[in-house]
Amino acid sequence: MNSVLDTSLIPQQDREEAIRSALWESFVRVDVDHHRPARDISVRMGLGALGPIRICSAESTAVTVRRTGRLAGMDEESAVFVGLQMSGTSLVEQRGRQSLLRPENLAVYESTTPYTLRFDQAVDHHFLRIPREVLALPDRALRDVAAIPLGSGNPVARLAFRYFAELVVSEDIRGGVHAEAIVQPSVELLRAAMTSQLGASRAKRAALEASLGLRITQYIRMNLADPALSAAQIAAAHGISVRHLYTVLAQSGISLGDWIRSHRLAECRRELAGPGGRRRTIAGIARSWGFPDPAHFSKAFKRAYGISPRDWREHHHPRCSRHGSGRGPQTAD
């Protein structure tokens, strides 16, 4: 890679901005949500190029990447992105289509249309950005294959995955005297993988079922602050029975009540340590994330993190009573 970003070498307070700047300047403009405090963010990202093809290789803690309509409209160059799932799973969403990517799957999505990439566990992914005009495929073809896992059942896509996975890590090839000579064959292989998919049958029901678990957890994340969030509400939103909801979650080792509680606690922990941690009472923050009983919240927080919410906030926002005017915002807990 031409450049490497490693957050272990970057001060905690600068990590999120360093990641955003590297992506915006060298690859793509996206919003990045790390779902954790800056000190817990771990990212190693390599950036490079092969002729007109830009490359990003990333290993990271869990993250959600969103390409909003506003950001998509800021690019002067229309491009196609290719994602290679190296390990674990991820969820890709574009044009109302959601797909689960498994190891050795690749997926394509367009730069000019909003998309979301969710990595709930960790990121182990290679990304390529290819100018739309270089790929030279009809708009309809791109729409038909966007955000669809390519690989399983498609021998051309499997070949393309192995080829690009090797290309990304082979600096002697990308930086050698023959680099320009392999640009066009690389583009043609990707084009072949995409067009071969157009003739394949689509098991839409199976694809939806495969991504159901991730779609459910994504829905819960988006509605954590809803005090009425319940198994019945979640099941209804996905057109399934409550029994099937619990079956799907159990397959991923998830207990619904424990999962909701732990993620609500994590949001409270994040807010208490954040810039506005003293602008609201601890009880107010707890209520906003579904904990109406302050005593119950305090016990659950200490059981989860080994520290009371008051002490956690004090650690990140010590009071200034001994020094200075002490006229900063004060709240009663």
Side-chain angles (χ1 to χ4, degrees), residues 77-328:
E77 176 193 70
S78 175
V80 174
F81 295 105
V82 182
L84 307 178
Q85 186 76 35
M86 303 308 296
S87 65
T89 60
S90 66
L91 188 71
V92 55
E93 178 179 3
Q94 188 173 60
R95 293 187 178 277
R97 179 185 293 150
Q98 290 183 326
S99 294
L100 181 70
L101 300 187
R102 303 181 185 279
E104 299 190 10
N105 282 166
L106 64 85
V108 298
Y109 34 97
E110 304 166 73
S111 69
T112 54
T113 303
Y115 63 77
T116 299
L117 308 178
R118 177 175 289 279
F119 302 86
D120 274 350
Q121 299 300 321
V123 181
D124 185 6
H125 219 78
H126 299 313
F127 303 89
L128 296 93
R129 176 180 176 134
I130 302 173
R132 174 73 176 75
E133 61 182 16
V134 172
L135 190 58
L137 278 177
D139 291 340
R140 176 63 183 273
L142 284 175
R143 288 196 301 268
D144 285 350
V145 300
I148 289 179
L150 307 180
S152 179
N154 185 332
V156 181
R158 290 200 301 271
L159 174 63
F161 178 92
R162 292 193 293 269
Y163 172 87
F164 286 113
E166 177 67 17
L167 181 64
V168 167
V169 300
S170 299
E171 294 188 20
D172 55 336
I173 296 176
R174 291 183 293 99
V177 295
H178 303 297
E180 285 296 326
I182 64 173
V183 171
Q184 192 57 36
S186 300
V187 172
E188 290 174 357
L189 178 57
L190 176 61
R191 189 184 299 124
M194 294 170 65
T195 55
S196 66
Q197 185 70 22
L198 295 175
S201 61
R202 305 228 180 94
K204 292 184 178 179
R205 188 174 302 172
L208 286 173
E209 185 65 25
S211 65
L212 183 56
L214 280 175
R215 288 189 285 119
I216 288 171
T217 55
Q218 181 182 21
Y219 176 88
I220 298 173
R221 284 182 188 276
M222 294 176 62
N223 292 276
L224 275 175
D226 181 359
L229 184 65
S230 65
Q233 175 187 330
I234 298 166
H238 293 84
I240 60 176
S241 67
V242 171
R243 181 177 180 179
H244 188 47
L245 168 69
Y246 282 115
T247 298
V248 171
L249 293 177
Q251 289 171 350
S252 300
I254 294 175
S255 167
L256 181 59
D258 291 344
W259 198 96
I260 292 175
R261 182 169 52 255
S262 66
H263 282 74
R264 282 176 167 170
L265 284 170
E267 291 296 338
C268 292
R269 181 173 181 255
R270 177 185 60 79
E271 281 206 33
L272 288 168
R278 281 208 180 274
R279 294 182 191 145
R280 302 170 62 197
T281 66
I282 292 175
I285 291 173
R287 277 195 302 272
S288 70
W289 289 105
F291 294 100
D293 183 341
H296 170 74
F297 166 71
S298 183
K299 290 178 181 177
F301 190 97
K302 188 167 185 178
R303 187 164 53 246
Y305 302 117
I307 187 173
S308 72
R310 187 188 300 274
D311 288 343
W312 172 256
R313 185 175 67 174
E314 193 66 26
H315 174 73
H316 291 276
H317 303 285
R319 294 185 183 274
C320 302
S321 56
R322 294 184 180 180
H323 304 285
S325 63
R327 290 179 294 178

